[in-house]
């Protein structure tokens, strides 16, 4: 456990170095270009989510990210404006856009990884979208061109820091399997990828409706929870577990945020504390997602407090929205085209999964083969959850 915690601390340090570097560059852009504070939020959110998905990426994948992420970041800004102006239309487009990367997993590893990159700006949009920001931060949203530039900075910062860490640091991630085993045709109809995409779409759409009706401009909290719990689910039990972990973490974060608010911490000190909380949450995230949920709840409360909102009074609303989003996701995974579990194992412990792929451990259905025995993570999982990649000296 001690070695694992040290390894986690190293990975968290790499990620936070990337985040702080991108944040500093975005701060310079804000001053030079007369931009608004949401450019900083976008820079931090993109870098946080990108750092994990690119940890084991080769040069080709990083170049693909450099081409794809800025474009999707620009589109996400336009989508945020569409949601603000025409909520129903924007919600429908968002639901289709965030479900499509799950559906295209059927086309192999390349499509899966491209879908992951397409998802990152949409998740960043849910963290602190324009309509949910206080009036002080709603004066000018980031234009699509500036958002694309922030996407370029995020990719370059992550690439630079991780490259230097791999060259001079004590650990390097294990390489991914070069030739994954070919899939066998699945007899399950609809396909597992289609089932998971439909479950995600249903949960997201329901969260949009319930979030708007129950929580007004704070609908993103319900939608984000629905995405975290539904994306990449391994079945009904997995969805329930992730929903409970997110709710438990948010409750812990509520207590922490209330303590910070009672201490009267504001200004630059609150910004430093926000980054400290994120670093600790990154460090503990591989142990359980609840730590990350607690850190995010505390950090977002500090952010809203920095903008001038009474974050403490909003915490009960956040908890209620998280509970609603988790409940909707569980209902979707439980009753809408659930993916059946394997009932029998082949000799030698090799069992076919629902997508027809064989693997020694029950991996996630509809995904390319991964080596669970070596701890190799999948890149098509949830960007805001999961653990750090394994290491080798």
């Amino acid at each position: 456990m001690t070695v694992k915690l040290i390894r986690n601390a190293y990975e968290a340090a790499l990620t936070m170095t990337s985040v702080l570097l991108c944040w500093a560059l975005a701060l310079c852009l804000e001053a030079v270009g007369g931009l608004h504070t949401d450019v900083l939020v976008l820079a931090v959110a993109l870098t946080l989510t990108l750092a994990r998905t690119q940890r084991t990426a080769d040069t080709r994948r990083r170049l693909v990210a450099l081409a794809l992420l800025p474009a999707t970041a620009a589109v996400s800004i336009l989508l945020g404006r569409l949601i603000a102006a025409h909520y129903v239309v924007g919600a429908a487009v968002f639901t289709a856009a965030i479900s499509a990367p799950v559906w295209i997993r059927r086309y192999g590893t390349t499509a899966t990884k491209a879908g992951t990159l397409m998802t990152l700006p949409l998740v960043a949009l849910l963290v602190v979208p324009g309509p949910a920001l206080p009036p002080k931060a709603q004066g000018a949203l980031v234009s699509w061109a500036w958002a694309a530039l922030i996407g370029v900075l995020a990719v370059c910062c992550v690439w630079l820091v991780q490259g230097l860490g791999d060259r001079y640091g004590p650990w390097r991630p294990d390489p991914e399997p070069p030739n994954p085993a070919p899939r066998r045709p699945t007899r399950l109809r609809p396909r597992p990828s289609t089932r998971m995409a439909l479950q995600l779409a249903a949960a997201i759409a329901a969260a949009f409706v319930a979030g708007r009706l129950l929580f007004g401009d704070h609908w993103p909290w319900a939608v984000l929870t629905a995405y975290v719990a539904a994306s990449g689910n391994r079945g009904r039990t997995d969805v329930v577990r992730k929903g409970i972990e997110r709710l438990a973490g948010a409750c812990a974060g509520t207590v922490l945020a209330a303590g910070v608010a009672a201490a009267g911490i504001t200004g630059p000190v609150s910004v430093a504390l926000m980054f400290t909380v994120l670093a600790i949450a990154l460090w503990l995230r591989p142990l359980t997602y609840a730590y990350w949920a607690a850190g995010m709840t505390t950090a977002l409360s500090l952010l809203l407090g920095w903008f001038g909102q009474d974050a403490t009074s909003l915490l009960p609303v956040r908890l209620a929205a998280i509970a609603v989003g988790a409940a909707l996701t569980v209902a979707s995974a439980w009753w809408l085209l659930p993916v059946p579990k394997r009932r029998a194992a082949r000799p030698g412990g090799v069992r076919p999964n629902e997508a027809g792929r064989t693997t020694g451990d029950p991996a996630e259905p509809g995904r390319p083969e991964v080596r669970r025995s070596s701890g190799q993570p999948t890149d098509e999982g949830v960007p805001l959850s999961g653990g750090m990649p394994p290491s080798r000296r």
Side-chain angles (χ1 to χ4, degrees):
M1 180 62 71
T2 301
V3 175
K4 183 178 180 179
L5 288 175
I6 294 175
R7 167 62 173 163
N8 293 347
Y10 172 74
E11 293 293 340
L14 287 181
T15 300
M16 288 308 301
T17 301
S18 304
V19 168
L20 291 174
L21 178 58
C22 191
W23 174 76
L25 294 175
L27 194 62
C28 295
L29 282 180
E30 180 195 23
V32 173
L35 304 178
H36 220 280
T37 312
D38 52 349
V39 73
L40 304 178
V41 177
L42 180 64
V44 171
L46 283 181
T47 310
L48 268 177
T49 52
L50 182 67
R52 178 176 177 265
T53 64
Q54 294 287 288
R55 188 64 185 98
T56 58
D58 55 16
T59 301
R60 179 176 175 272
R61 278 182 55 194
R62 293 187 186 276
L63 290 175
V64 170
L66 186 59
L68 190 57
L69 186 66
T72 53
V75 172
S76 72
I77 295 300
L78 299 179
L79 179 56
R81 293 186 177 185
L82 178 62
I83 294 175
H86 306 283
Y87 184 80
V88 175
V89 177
V93 174
F94 183 96
T95 301
I98 207 166
S99 303
V102 178
W103 181 79
I104 65 175
R105 290 174 183 171
R106 64 178 63 199
Y107 297 112
T109 304
T110 301
T112 296
K113 293 174 179 176
T116 300
L117 291 173
M118 294 164 56
T119 301
L120 299 185
L122 300 178
V123 176
L125 180 65
L126 292 176
V127 174
V128 185
L133 288 175
K136 178 182 177 182
Q138 292 183 23
L141 291 174
V142 183
S143 69
W144 65 269
W146 286 112
L149 181 57
I150 292 299
V152 172
L153 290 179
V155 174
C156 292
C157 289
V158 170
W159 194 348
L160 174 63
V161 172
Q162 290 183 349
L164 292 176
D166 291 344
R167 185 176 181 84
Y168 301 107
W171 286 286
R172 296 184 64 186
D174 289 339
E176 294 183 347
N179 296 311
R183 301 179 183 179
R184 296 175 55 191
T186 176
R187 296 181 180 179
L188 185 64
R189 293 294 184 271
R191 293 171 177 262
S193 58
T194 301
R195 290 171 177 250
M196 289 190 293
L198 291 175
Q199 290 174 3
L200 177 61
I204 293 294
F208 266 110
V209 174
R212 189 68 166 185
L213 292 177
L214 299 177
F215 310 111
D217 284 341
H218 302 294
W219 55 265
W221 297 337
V223 176
L224 180 59
T225 299
Y227 171 76
V228 168
S231 178
N233 74 76
R234 303 180 188 179
R236 297 169 171 174
T237 304
D238 182 67
V239 172
V240 174
R241 176 186 59 81
K242 286 190 288 189
I244 292 175
E245 285 183 350
R246 176 156 171 76
L247 183 59
C251 292
T254 299
V255 176
L256 293 174
V260 171
I265 299 176
T266 57
V269 178
S270 66
V271 176
L273 183 58
M274 185 184 348
F275 284 123
T276 302
V277 169
L278 286 177
I280 296 174
L282 280 170
W283 175 42
L284 298 176
R285 180 172 66 176
L287 303 181
T288 174
Y289 181 77
Y291 289 118
W292 177 244
M296 284 298 296
T297 300
T298 306
L300 289 177
S301 298
L302 289 169
L303 178 65
L304 293 177
W306 188 60
F307 280 132
Q309 277 195 359
D310 184 6
T312 304
S313 64
L314 292 176
L315 289 175
V317 179
R318 180 186 296 276
L319 291 178
I322 290 174
V324 168
L328 292 173
T329 303
V330 170
S332 174
W334 207 268
W335 288 296
L336 178 62
L337 296 174
V339 178
K341 294 182 180 180
R342 286 179 292 271
R343 298 182 181 277
R346 289 186 174 183
V350 179
R351 295 171 291 182
N353 74 349
E354 295 79 9
R357 169 179 50 75
T358 59
T359 176
D361 290 320
E364 300 188 20
R367 297 190 177 190
E369 182 179 16
V370 292
R371 297 181 299 182
R372 293 292 182 185
S373 59
S374 64
Q376 182 71 25
T378 57
D379 290 313
E380 60 275 18
V382 183
L384 299 180
S385 68
M388 297 299 178
S391 61
R392 62 186 174 123
R393 291 186 181 272

